[in-house]
Amino acid sequence: MQYIKIEKQPQDGIGIIYLNRPEALNALNTELMEELSNQIVEWDYDSEIRCIVLTGSEKVFAAGADIKQMAGKGAIDMLMIDQFTKWDKIKRCKKPIIAGVSGFALGGGCELVMHCDMVVASETAQFGQPEIKIGVMPGAGGTQRLTRAIGKVRAMEMVLTGRFITAHEALQYGLINKVVPVEIYLQETLKLAKQVASMPPVAVRLAKEAVLKSFEMSLEEGLIFERKNFYLLFASEDQKEGMNAFIEKRQPNWKGK
Ligand code: DAK
């Protein structure tokens, strides 16, 4: 792979994907997106991986879609490239994805962060939707996920002025989980990922699915969906193991079944 690096830590159940196109601040060209989405699909079906970490470098997470690749394109070219199919593969990942963000997460980079389930940021992280400054607007969730995450007026300001927000603002707005010093952002991201990976995998999968449904369903429909997943877990060996381990005052031994 040319634009991402991967590292598997099967002993902890985690897989790390590093966006790795430093010469263009990890701009998301179609090739990078192809590699990234394929890797996420592969790990979604890999039983050794229970949580995926997506990160860049200390300097940059991703400065957005590749402007040089897009600049000369017409509407039909964009339609035919159909990058949304690749984004949808990330959206459909059933395992938790945790973003570790340092430096810029802009445009498609910020939208990629919002595809993730949790976000740990370094103090140097900056988030923005600056597409307006280059004559377009967010095209991969920046008007929808951002608005749901931080509310209308804050999203409007970011989308209509292109202003970057700092990691501390992003934390205050509820866009990210925590802010840590740059030296330890990856370590802290991995710590969170290992914690999630140590939980019973079927319950994690159904819980993630139920939380995400809250963005798409009415409260009533969502509660019914949640209840069905809850009942379904009583068909798992891990439910018996978890509850028996509690009663017997011992650590559970998850089977993922
Ligand atoms: N694309 C291509 N190259 C980029 C880039 C980008 N987004 N961002 C940076 N680079 C390149 C620069 O051109 C430069 O390359 P050389 O000139 O050295 O060859 C190199 O990276 C270093 O950048 P700078 O010299 O500009 O570095 P600075 O530290 O001075 O500035 C910066 C850093 C992040 C503030 C600045 O580079 C910047 O403003 N970058 C552009 C940020 C931006 O506007 N991002 C939004 C792009 S539009 C879609 C999905 C998603 C999207 C669209 C469709 N579908 C699913 C259909 C998303 C759209 C976008 O993200």
Side-chain angles (χ1 to χ4, degrees):
M1 281 172 295
Q2 197 180 348
Y3 296 119
I4 63 170
K5 281 196 300 179
I6 58 168
E7 188 184 332
K8 217 170 146 176
Q9 297 185 354
Q11 70 284 3
D12 292 315
I14 62 175
I16 311 164
I17 301 175
Y18 299 89
L19 304 175
N20 183 36
R21 200 187 165 208
E23 68 285 2
L25 302 185
N26 292 341
L28 307 166
N29 60 10
T30 47
E31 296 81 1
L32 187 156
M33 284 307 300
E34 181 85 29
E35 291 179 16
L36 173 62
S37 54
N38 288 344
Q39 190 58 49
I40 287 178
V41 171
E42 186 184 320
W43 278 349
D44 205 13
Y45 291 95
D46 182 336
S47 59
E48 289 183 331
I49 304 288
R50 295 192 295 280
C51 186
I52 297 169
V53 167
L54 178 57
T55 191
S57 64
E58 258 185 41
K59 186 177 172 203
V60 63
F61 179 79
D66 190 322
I67 299 170
K68 292 170 190 165
Q69 206 173 48
M70 286 188 297
K73 298 273 189 291
I76 302 303
D77 299 323
M78 293 301 282
L79 178 79
M80 298 313 278
I81 295 167
D82 193 21
Q83 252 188 331
F84 282 107
T85 310
K86 296 186 192 106
W87 286 92
D88 287 350
K89 283 191 198 170
I90 303 172
K91 185 179 92 178
R92 281 197 296 272
C93 179
K94 294 172 287 301
K95 291 178 183 167
I97 307 177
I98 302 182
V101 181
S102 188
F104 298 111
L106 306 176
C110 187
E111 289 166 320
L112 186 56
V113 169
M114 291 188 284
H115 257 75
C116 297
D117 300 303
M118 285 181 265
V119 187
V120 176
S122 87
E123 281 169 340
T124 64
Q126 294 188 65
F127 301 84
Q129 297 289 163
E131 291 91 337
I132 202 86
K133 293 183 180 171
I134 52 168
V136 286
M137 58 176 274
T143 64
Q144 302 301 304
R145 289 197 179 88
L146 185 66
T147 307
R148 282 169 168 78
I150 70 174
K152 185 185 92 171
V153 295
R154 288 162 170 166
M156 280 291 189
E157 186 187 344
M158 286 179 71
V159 169
L160 300 187
T161 71
R163 181 173 84 84
F164 301 168
I165 58 169
T166 64
H168 287 289
E169 281 177 288
L171 181 67
Q172 190 204 338
Y173 290 1
L175 189 62
I176 62 176
N177 293 77
K178 66 158 102 173
V179 183
V180 296
V182 64
E183 300 77 29
I184 59 163
Y185 86 95
L186 188 55
Q187 199 182 317
E188 286 293 310
T189 313
L190 298 183
K191 197 162 118 190
L192 183 59
K194 286 175 196 173
Q195 205 183 340
V196 173
S198 71
M199 298 295 154
V202 185
V204 167
R205 175 178 171 155
L206 296 191
K208 166 172 169 163
E209 184 185 39
V211 171
L212 291 179
K213 284 287 179 208
S214 72
F215 290 100
E216 283 153 28
M217 288 179 162
S218 69
L219 179 60
E220 194 52 33
E221 289 166 328
L223 288 170
I224 293 168
F225 188 90
E226 176 190 77
R227 205 164 305 154
K228 294 229 162 108
N229 277 9
F230 175 75
Y231 291 151
L232 185 57
L233 286 171
F234 283 74
S236 71
E237 290 181 28
D238 285 344
Q239 172 266 328
K240 301 286 173 294
E241 170 63 10
M243 293 192 180
N244 286 332
F246 173 80
I247 293 163
E248 293 159 16
K249 299 188 189 301
R250 62 173 174 82
Q251 285 301 311
N253 180 19
W254 307 123
K255 297 210 172 70
K257 291 199 270 187

